[in-house]
Each structure stands twice: as C-alpha cells, then as structure tokens.
Amino acid sequence: MQDNASAPFLKTAWILAGLGLTALLAWDYAGLDLAVIRPWADASGFPWREHWLTRDVFHQGGRALAGVVIAFMLVLNLWRGLLPAMTRRERLWWLGTSVVCLLLIPLLKRQSLTSCPWDLNEFGGLATYVSHWRFGVADGGPGHCFPSGHASSAFAFFAGFFALRRAYPRAAKAFLVALLLCGLGYGWAQMARGAHYASHTMWTAWICWTLTTLSCRLLLKPRSAEA
C-alpha cells in the first residue's frame, strides 16, 4: 500500500490542482458568475436570503458541523484508541493543516475588495460588478466577500482524506465524498442567499486543496516507527 505522500498520489493531486485552476480561470473569463446567480434574484434582492433551509440548515448547520470535525480531530490526537492504525504524525498533520486552511480563507477575505452579490445594484444594493481579478479596483460596496469563508467549513478538511488514505483507504474516500457534497451544498446555499458567487466556493476548494497538497509534500512523511 502506498504511503500518504507517495509520488503517484501527489502527482495526481497536483494535476487536479492544475485542472481546477484552468477551469476557474475559464469560468471567470466567460463571466459565468452573474449568469449563474441571476436566476436566484431580482431587483429587490434574494428571496432565499432568509429561508430556513439556506440560512439555518446550510449556513448555521455548516458552522456547527465544522466545529464537530475540529472536536473529532482534537480527540483523535488525545486518544490513541480512536483510529489506532494512524500515526501520530498523520494525526497532528491533519489537525494542523486543517486549522491553517480555516484561518487562511478569512484572512484572504479581509483583504478582498469584492462585494457580495446581494450588494450589487442590480439586486437592490449599491455596488457594481467587478471581477475579483481586478486587484485594487473597488466596486462601490463593502467588499470582503472573496473567497467563500463558509465553504471552508468543508474544504478546509481535505487533509483528512490525505491523512486517512494509508491506513483507512475506504474511510478516506468516503470522507472526501462527504466533504465535496457538504462544500457544494454550502456553496449552493450561499449563492442562493446572495452571499457568494459560485466561483467564490470553487476558489475556496482550490485554495484548500492546493495548500493541503503542498503541505503533504513538505510535511507528511511516509509511515515510520513513530506512533
């Protein structure tokens, strides 16, 4: 069985990162964000903004689920009897990499001049649409909306897939599928609410995946005698 940081696995992870970046650049070049979000809004705003499904289940529920995963990782590092086939390095790396991803996305948002869709003038706000690639160009709104912080409640935990795949390959695949489903669900809900464009969610996924791949390459070594 290959270790977590095997060359073939990392090569595949980097290829996926490259393909994802290409797709995201093409998405932005084609201006698809507005085309995809317009069906969810009108001149008065976003009807789904305060809907119980998008606000309570996906938004608040997503935050709660992220807290549960963090708590699980803390227990995993304190109790060796939980997933005993994992090494100490794998456990610590999973926790550390996930925390870095969770902190990085809000930091990027804080520097962003991109406003949320619900701030656009065509949806009842004051801002005009400006691509997030036009660095330094304000859109007339409050900004601080790129990338999607809520999507990081799922995608920040990509490290779990990397860390689990050596000792628990089936669990690793199931965990990855669950993360993707949750992340896409959170992304849809935030788009329907007008809180983010679709690309904001996809960029969060790309950033977290790429950072996790880099961290795996640099820090997650093959299994050793350490426990």
Side-chain angles (χ1 to χ4, degrees), residues 21-64:
L21 179 60
T22 301
L24 280 166
L25 294 176
W27 178 282
D28 189 70
Y29 181 78
L32 293 177
D33 270 337
L34 284 175
V36 170
I37 205 169
R38 278 175 176 143
W40 299 97
D42 53 33
S44 63
F46 290 81
W48 285 75
R49 181 170 180 172
E50 299 299 328
H51 194 279
W52 64 269
L53 178 63
T54 56
R55 183 192 61 191
D56 300 330
V57 176
F58 281 96
H59 190 239
Q60 300 301 330
R63 289 179 174 176

Side-chain angles (χ1 to χ4, degrees), residues 1-223:
M1 184 180 298
Q2 294 177 344
D3 61 75
N4 315 66
S6 65
F9 173 71
L10 283 176
K11 181 179 180 180
T12 301
W14 283 120
I15 290 174
L16 290 174
L19 292 174
L21 179 60
T22 301
L24 280 166
L25 294 176
W27 178 282
D28 189 70
Y29 181 78
L32 293 177
D33 270 337
L34 284 175
V36 170
I37 205 169
R38 278 175 176 143
W40 299 97
D42 53 33
S44 63
F46 290 81
W48 285 75
R49 181 170 180 172
E50 299 299 328
H51 194 279
W52 64 269
L53 178 63
T54 56
R55 183 192 61 191
D56 300 330
V57 176
F58 281 96
H59 190 239
Q60 300 301 330
R63 289 179 174 176
L65 186 58
V68 170
V69 177
I70 287 289
F72 171 81
M73 288 189 294
L74 291 173
V75 173
L76 182 65
N77 278 276
L78 294 173
W79 180 32
R80 281 289 313 282
L82 186 62
L83 302 180
M86 293 185 70
T87 65
R88 180 185 179 189
R89 184 184 297 275
E90 289 166 347
R91 297 162 188 259
L92 288 173
W93 178 83
W94 180 359
L95 176 61
T97 302
S98 296
V99 169
V100 170
C101 288
L102 285 171
L103 294 175
L104 176 62
I105 299 301
L107 287 176
L108 294 175
K109 281 187 63 179
R110 190 173 300 175
Q111 305 304 317
S112 172
L113 296 178
T114 300
S115 298
C116 300
W118 58 37
D119 294 313
L120 289 188
N121 50 24
E122 72 172 282
F123 304 133
L126 298 175
T128 56
Y129 178 78
V130 175
S131 170
H132 50 255
W133 283 110
R134 297 182 64 185
F135 302 115
V137 179
D139 56 19
H144 310 302
C145 196
F146 172 79
S148 172
H150 193 60
S152 68
S153 298
F155 298 138
F157 300 107
F158 278 144
F161 166 65
F162 287 65
L164 287 166
R165 63 179 295 273
R166 178 195 60 79
Y168 302 99
R170 291 185 179 179
K173 293 177 182 178
F175 187 72
L176 178 61
V177 170
L179 290 181
L180 292 174
L181 290 176
C182 286
L184 292 174
Y186 300 160
W188 164 79
Q190 290 296 80
M191 184 183 68
R193 297 181 69 233
H196 285 290
Y197 297 106
S199 70
H200 291 189
T201 295
M202 294 186 284
W203 274 109
T204 296
W206 183 83
I207 292 169
C208 291
W209 178 268
T210 303
L211 178 60
T212 300
T213 302
L214 178 62
S215 176
C216 181
R217 171 65 180 82
L218 297 176
L219 301 175
L220 189 58
K221 306 298 182 182
R223 186 183 184 185

